[in-house]
Amino acid sequence: MLLSFDTKLLKYAELAVKSGENIQKNQLPHISSSNDKLKLIQIIIKIAYKNGTKQVFVELSDAILFLNSLRKRSKRLT
C-alpha cells in the first residue's frame, strides 16, 4: 500500500514531535526553518499544540531573500 505525500508528511511530523524533539506539555519549542518547508512546519505546530505545548516560536528564512541581501552587501563593499 502506497501512502500519499500528505500522509507521509503527517507521520514524519508526528515522529519529529513525539520522538525526535520529544515536545511535551507546557514546553515552549522554537522552530527554525526555511520557508520551503512551511507545510511541514504547520503540521508540526498543530501536533505540538495537541501534545499540550503552551506556545511554539517559529523563525522562517527565505534563501532567495538571504542571497539577495548578501549580493547587495558585497556590492557595497566593492
Side-chain angles (χ1 to χ4, degrees):
M1 177 179 123
L2 294 176
L3 300 176
S4 72
F5 178 75
D6 288 341
T7 303
K8 288 179 183 179
L9 203 58
L10 176 63
K11 289 183 177 286
Y12 184 70
E14 287 174 342
L15 180 65
V17 170
K18 295 177 182 175
S19 298
E21 294 301 317
N22 194 21
I23 298 172
Q24 297 178 8
K25 189 174 183 176
N26 296 325
Q27 285 186 325
L28 301 170
H30 179 97
I31 298 172
S32 182
S33 178
S34 58
N35 64 354
D36 62 332
K37 295 171 185 66
L38 189 55
K39 188 170 184 175
L40 176 61
I41 299 303
Q42 291 168 336
I43 296 169
I44 287 174
I45 291 169
K46 186 183 285 189
I47 294 169
Y49 281 126
K50 282 183 182 177
N51 283 349
T53 190
K54 290 213 176 231
Q55 185 174 1
V56 180
F57 297 96
V58 180
E59 181 181 338
L60 292 175
S61 62
D62 184 302
I64 294 171
L65 293 177
F66 178 71
L67 289 174
N68 286 339
S69 70
L70 288 179
R71 287 185 189 118
K72 194 168 197 166
R73 282 186 225 159
S74 69
K75 285 181 183 178
R76 279 190 248 155
L77 296 174
T78 57

